[in-house]
Amino acid sequence: MRDYIIGMGKFVYQKVKDQKGTLKNRLVNGYSPGGDAQFNIDAAAEDAVFEYIQKQEVPIAFYTEDGGLKLFGENPQYILIVDPIDGTRPAAAGLEMSCISIALAAYKPNAQIKDIEFAFLLELKTGAYMYGDIYSDCIHYEGFQGELPNLSEVKEIKNMFWS
């Protein structure tokens, strides 16, 4: 699944990057079920996720902020949790704090954060990304100048700092 989610992230990035002027358009097109304002760039990214899934022809469940839960194919083995524009406002401002976020877990009706097996983050400003999974001690990354920032060894969620 590593190649699948890295491929998806790069595909969405390219589609978003090709949307000249869409990112800076601040017209609110509605609100997600979670209450977040949705912009043109969010719709373009959501469409790119769906396009990628269709092209791969792999049975999979996927959840996006705008689209909710959808099943593609029969008997999906995995569920993708995708925020194709995680941080729309920082992205519009040209900050690094926006990314394409993808997590993947074995599909089951009550999947939770603790079930995530694969994770991927790609910076919208630079295209640099990092990927990790529970099967390997190393993090795969590309596009960063030098080594990745010092990653914390903290494993208890209650002791983590979230941004």
Side-chain angles (χ1 to χ4, degrees):
M1 293 312 293
R2 171 183 158 175
D3 292 340
Y4 186 95
I5 65 174
I6 289 174
M8 174 183 278
K10 288 181 173 182
F11 183 82
V12 172
Y13 174 72
Q14 195 58 52
K15 289 286 189 174
V16 168
K17 188 176 169 188
D18 291 344
Q19 296 284 320
K20 300 289 184 207
T22 305
L23 186 57
K24 297 208 180 267
N25 182 335
R26 292 184 175 97
L27 178 66
V28 175
N29 293 329
Y31 295 89
S32 73
D36 287 347
Q38 298 300 297
F39 302 90
N40 289 344
I41 196 65
D42 293 301
E46 293 265 346
D47 290 346
V49 168
F50 189 68
E51 182 181 344
Y52 182 83
I53 289 171
Q54 285 184 307
K55 285 182 177 182
Q56 298 305 305
E57 298 181 354
V58 173
I60 201 156
F62 64 102
Y63 180 90
T64 62
E65 189 174 29
D66 273 1
L69 179 64
K70 293 187 172 116
L71 300 176
F72 186 84
E74 295 182 28
N75 300 317
Q77 299 298 306
Y78 293 100
I79 181 169
L80 284 164
I81 301 95
V82 183
D83 192 346
I85 305 291
D86 191 356
T88 305
R89 286 182 177 94
L95 301 174
E96 290 84 359
M97 296 182 327
S98 58
C99 58
I100 297 165
S101 301
I102 304 172
L104 189 135
Y107 179 66
K108 58 184 180 179
N110 60 346
Q112 298 176 8
I113 283 181
K114 69 180 181 174
D115 300 318
I116 292 172
E117 297 177 35
F118 308 88
F120 175 85
L121 292 171
L122 183 145
E123 290 181 355
L124 284 172
K125 184 173 182 178
T126 66
Y129 71 84
M130 64 181 88
Y131 162 90
D133 61 50
I134 64 170
Y135 304 104
S136 173
D137 288 337
C138 67
I139 293 181
H140 178 76
Y141 62 95
E142 186 176 290
F144 295 96
Q145 293 180 357
E147 295 292 317
L148 280 177
N150 184 17
L151 301 176
S152 172
E153 296 294 324
V154 176
K155 297 195 186 310
E156 294 292 322
I157 291 178
K158 66 181 179 178
N159 296 326
M160 292 180 182
F161 179 77
W162 295 86
S163 174

